PDB file of all heavy atoms in Angstrom:
ATOM      1  N   GLU M 240      -9.188  21.438 -63.861  1.00  0.00           N
ATOM      2  CA  GLU M 240      -9.494  22.521 -64.814  1.00  0.00           C
ATOM      3  C   GLU M 240      -8.968  22.156 -66.200  1.00  0.00           C
ATOM      4  O   GLU M 240      -7.915  21.561 -66.339  1.00  0.00           O
ATOM      5  CB  GLU M 240      -8.843  23.834 -64.364  1.00  0.00           C
ATOM      6  CG  GLU M 240      -9.321  24.341 -63.018  1.00  0.00           C
ATOM      7  CD  GLU M 240     -10.765  24.788 -63.034  1.00  0.00           C
ATOM      8  OE1 GLU M 240     -11.198  25.372 -64.049  1.00  0.00           O
ATOM      9  OE2 GLU M 240     -11.464  24.554 -62.041  1.00  0.00           O
ATOM     10  N   SER M 241      -9.707  22.587 -67.220  1.00  0.00           N
ATOM     11  CA  SER M 241      -9.304  22.349 -68.599  1.00  0.00           C
ATOM     12  C   SER M 241      -8.047  23.153 -68.926  1.00  0.00           C
ATOM     13  O   SER M 241      -7.923  24.309 -68.532  1.00  0.00           O
ATOM     14  CB  SER M 241     -10.446  22.757 -69.530  1.00  0.00           C
ATOM     15  OG  SER M 241     -10.074  22.532 -70.861  1.00  0.00           O
ATOM     16  N   VAL M 242      -7.121  22.517 -69.643  1.00  0.00           N
ATOM     17  CA  VAL M 242      -5.866  23.161 -70.046  1.00  0.00           C
ATOM     18  C   VAL M 242      -5.726  23.048 -71.559  1.00  0.00           C
ATOM     19  O   VAL M 242      -5.952  21.986 -72.126  1.00  0.00           O
ATOM     20  CB  VAL M 242      -4.653  22.463 -69.387  1.00  0.00           C
ATOM     21  CG1 VAL M 242      -3.343  22.968 -69.965  1.00  0.00           C
ATOM     22  CG2 VAL M 242      -4.681  22.618 -67.891  1.00  0.00           C
ATOM     23  N   SER M 243      -5.354  24.141 -72.194  1.00  0.00           N
ATOM     24  CA  SER M 243      -5.019  24.150 -73.612  1.00  0.00           C
ATOM     25  C   SER M 243      -4.081  25.325 -73.826  1.00  0.00           C
ATOM     26  O   SER M 243      -4.511  26.476 -73.841  1.00  0.00           O
ATOM     27  CB  SER M 243      -6.271  24.287 -74.483  1.00  0.00           C
ATOM     28  OG  SER M 243      -5.899  24.273 -75.847  1.00  0.00           O
ATOM     29  N   THR M 244      -2.790  25.034 -73.947  1.00  0.00           N
ATOM     30  CA  THR M 244      -1.812  26.107 -74.069  1.00  0.00           C
ATOM     31  C   THR M 244      -0.671  25.681 -74.983  1.00  0.00           C
ATOM     32  O   THR M 244      -0.497  24.505 -75.272  1.00  0.00           O
ATOM     33  CB  THR M 244      -1.285  26.530 -72.673  1.00  0.00           C
ATOM     34  OG1 THR M 244      -0.533  27.728 -72.798  1.00  0.00           O
ATOM     35  CG2 THR M 244      -0.442  25.449 -72.035  1.00  0.00           C
ATOM     36  N   GLU M 245       0.083  26.676 -75.436  1.00  0.00           N
ATOM     37  CA  GLU M 245       1.219  26.427 -76.315  1.00  0.00           C
ATOM     38  C   GLU M 245       2.489  26.988 -75.688  1.00  0.00           C
ATOM     39  O   GLU M 245       2.443  27.969 -74.950  1.00  0.00           O
ATOM     40  CB  GLU M 245       0.992  27.086 -77.675  1.00  0.00           C
ATOM     41  CG  GLU M 245      -0.165  26.475 -78.441  1.00  0.00           C
ATOM     42  CD  GLU M 245      -0.323  27.063 -79.837  1.00  0.00           C
ATOM     43  OE1 GLU M 245       0.647  27.652 -80.360  1.00  0.00           O
ATOM     44  OE2 GLU M 245      -1.412  26.915 -80.392  1.00  0.00           O
ATOM     45  N   PHE M 246       3.592  26.352 -76.009  1.00  0.00           N
ATOM     46  CA  PHE M 246       4.907  26.800 -75.564  1.00  0.00           C
ATOM     47  C   PHE M 246       5.793  26.933 -76.793  1.00  0.00           C
ATOM     48  O   PHE M 246       5.748  26.088 -77.688  1.00  0.00           O
ATOM     49  CB  PHE M 246       5.538  25.777 -74.611  1.00  0.00           C
ATOM     50  CG  PHE M 246       4.848  25.691 -73.283  1.00  0.00           C
ATOM     51  CD1 PHE M 246       3.722  24.908 -73.113  1.00  0.00           C
ATOM     52  CD2 PHE M 246       5.319  26.410 -72.189  1.00  0.00           C
ATOM     53  CE1 PHE M 246       3.076  24.825 -71.898  1.00  0.00           C
ATOM     54  CE2 PHE M 246       4.680  26.337 -70.965  1.00  0.00           C
ATOM     55  CZ  PHE M 246       3.554  25.542 -70.812  1.00  0.00           C
ATOM     56  N   THR M 247       6.564  28.008 -76.830  1.00  0.00           N
ATOM     57  CA  THR M 247       7.544  28.194 -77.902  1.00  0.00           C
ATOM     58  C   THR M 247       8.855  28.599 -77.243  1.00  0.00           C
ATOM     59  O   THR M 247       8.939  28.730 -76.017  1.00  0.00           O
ATOM     60  CB  THR M 247       7.116  29.302 -78.895  1.00  0.00           C
ATOM     61  OG1 THR M 247       7.149  30.561 -78.217  1.00  0.00           O
ATOM     62  CG2 THR M 247       5.727  29.042 -79.461  1.00  0.00           C
ATOM     63  N   ARG M 248       9.845  28.848 -78.065  1.00  0.00           N
ATOM     64  CA  ARG M 248      11.135  29.340 -77.575  1.00  0.00           C
ATOM     65  C   ARG M 248      11.494  30.588 -78.377  1.00  0.00           C
ATOM     66  O   ARG M 248      12.621  30.803 -78.775  1.00  0.00           O
ATOM     67  CB  ARG M 248      12.179  28.230 -77.703  1.00  0.00           C
ATOM     68  CG  ARG M 248      11.779  27.010 -76.847  1.00  0.00           C
ATOM     69  CD  ARG M 248      12.767  25.897 -76.877  1.00  0.00           C
ATOM     70  NE  ARG M 248      14.081  26.253 -76.380  1.00  0.00           N
ATOM     71  CZ  ARG M 248      14.416  26.338 -75.105  1.00  0.00           C
ATOM     72  NH1 ARG M 248      13.532  26.087 -74.150  1.00  0.00           N
ATOM     73  NH2 ARG M 248      15.643  26.659 -74.761  1.00  0.00           N
ATOM     74  N   SER M 249      10.472  31.424 -78.613  1.00  0.00           N
ATOM     75  CA  SER M 249      10.609  32.575 -79.508  1.00  0.00           C
ATOM     76  C   SER M 249      11.304  33.784 -78.886  1.00  0.00           C
ATOM     77  O   SER M 249      11.760  34.657 -79.608  1.00  0.00           O
ATOM     78  CB  SER M 249       9.231  32.998 -80.018  1.00  0.00           C
ATOM     79  OG  SER M 249       8.403  33.352 -78.919  1.00  0.00           O
ATOM     80  N   ASP M 250      11.360  33.861 -77.560  1.00  0.00           N
ATOM     81  CA  ASP M 250      12.053  34.973 -76.895  1.00  0.00           C
ATOM     82  C   ASP M 250      12.430  34.532 -75.479  1.00  0.00           C
ATOM     83  O   ASP M 250      12.127  33.404 -75.066  1.00  0.00           O
ATOM     84  CB  ASP M 250      11.196  36.254 -76.880  1.00  0.00           C
ATOM     85  CG  ASP M 250       9.878  36.108 -76.154  1.00  0.00           C
ATOM     86  OD1 ASP M 250       9.793  35.359 -75.163  1.00  0.00           O
ATOM     87  OD2 ASP M 250       8.895  36.752 -76.587  1.00  0.00           O
ATOM     88  N   GLY M 251      13.075  35.412 -74.754  1.00  0.00           N
ATOM     89  CA  GLY M 251      13.556  35.059 -73.418  1.00  0.00           C
ATOM     90  C   GLY M 251      12.441  34.630 -72.465  1.00  0.00           C
ATOM     91  O   GLY M 251      12.612  33.704 -71.666  1.00  0.00           O
ATOM     92  N   CYS M 252      11.297  35.276 -72.522  1.00  0.00           N
ATOM     93  CA  CYS M 252      10.174  34.914 -71.641  1.00  0.00           C
ATOM     94  C   CYS M 252       9.648  33.521 -71.966  1.00  0.00           C
ATOM     95  O   CYS M 252       9.357  32.726 -71.064  1.00  0.00           O
ATOM     96  CB  CYS M 252       9.055  35.943 -71.765  1.00  0.00           C
ATOM     97  SG  CYS M 252       9.481  37.581 -71.141  1.00  0.00           S
ATOM     98  N   GLU M 253       9.511  33.229 -73.249  1.00  0.00           N
ATOM     99  CA  GLU M 253       8.991  31.923 -73.653  1.00  0.00           C
ATOM    100  C   GLU M 253      10.001  30.812 -73.384  1.00  0.00           C
ATOM    101  O   GLU M 253       9.620  29.695 -73.033  1.00  0.00           O
ATOM    102  CB  GLU M 253       8.568  31.946 -75.121  1.00  0.00           C
ATOM    103  CG  GLU M 253       7.339  32.812 -75.377  1.00  0.00           C
ATOM    104  CD  GLU M 253       6.128  32.355 -74.575  1.00  0.00           C
ATOM    105  OE1 GLU M 253       5.740  31.164 -74.674  1.00  0.00           O
ATOM    106  OE2 GLU M 253       5.564  33.180 -73.834  1.00  0.00           O
TER     107      GLU M 253
END
Side-chain angles (χ1 to χ4, degrees):
E240 299 292 323
S241 180
V242 171
S243 181
T244 191
E245 294 184 20
F246 291 84
T247 67
R248 299 182 61 79
S249 60
D250 60 34
C252 293
E253 291 301 305

